[in-house]
Amino acid sequence: MIQRFIEIGEGYSDIYELIEIARVNQHRMLHMAAFHTSINGKEATSLAVILKPTNPGDFQPLYLCREGIPNPNVTPNKRFDLFAETASSLDKEIVQLTVKPSTLFNEKELYYQYLIGILRLNHYIAPLQ
């Protein structure tokens, strides 16, 4: 199985694309997630839509808006509210995890491997077989 993050932006206007991906693919929806972090003293959140793997192909996309939304637990905001409303309408709870910021990694791919490891460890996505 191939599991890969597909970054669609930082969550400004692209949050609407992430929400549309969730709605259009609700039959493949596995999880909706919020990754909370702190970057230089600023609390930020990444939002993600995790779909079931394709069949055939065993490709599991994890769509992400990276670290561009204020952490809603610190600063309530409309963008997170829209994401939460979408989760509710799709009968999904948002998986919320506190993670290291992407700035601690020399490459974005290493950051994404770190997130995939956390998701596997917590059984939100399947381990490699």
Side-chain angles (χ1 to χ4, degrees):
M1 177 179 320
I2 299 170
Q3 296 161 326
R4 185 170 299 138
F5 275 97
I6 300 169
E7 187 173 320
I8 58 172
E10 294 181 351
Y12 298 100
S13 59
D14 22 53
I15 186 71
Y16 301 107
E17 181 64 19
L18 186 67
I19 288 169
E20 187 64 17
I21 288 169
R23 286 186 185 138
V24 169
N25 291 288
Q26 60 184 305
H27 63 287
R28 288 184 56 207
M29 179 72 62
L30 191 58
H31 299 289
M32 294 177 76
F35 303 112
H36 306 298
T37 195
S38 181
I39 304 171
N40 300 323
K42 179 184 167 199
E43 298 299 315
T45 296
S46 300
L47 298 178
V49 169
I50 303 168
L51 301 182
K52 294 175 186 171
T54 59
N55 185 10
D58 279 339
F59 174 74
Q60 185 171 26
L62 301 97
Y63 292 95
L64 179 82
C65 289
R66 184 175 49 92
E67 298 170 337
I69 297 170
N71 182 330
N73 301 315
V74 176
T75 307
N77 62 85
K78 184 66 176 166
R79 287 178 282 167
F80 185 84
D81 291 346
L82 288 170
F83 190 73
E85 288 168 14
T86 302
S88 179
S89 73
L90 298 175
D91 201 26
K92 293 288 181 185
E93 289 190 29
I94 298 173
V95 172
Q96 298 195 44
L97 299 166
T98 301
V99 299
K100 294 178 184 178
S102 64
T103 54
L104 291 182
F105 297 83
N106 289 330
E107 299 174 24
K108 260 195 279 187
E109 278 306 311
L110 295 174
Y111 175 65
Y112 293 144
Q113 289 304 314
Y114 160 73
L115 290 181
I116 286 171
I118 289 171
L119 292 169
R120 285 179 184 157
L121 192 63
N122 287 286
H123 304 284
Y124 291 119
I125 59 176
L128 291 179
Q129 298 174 0

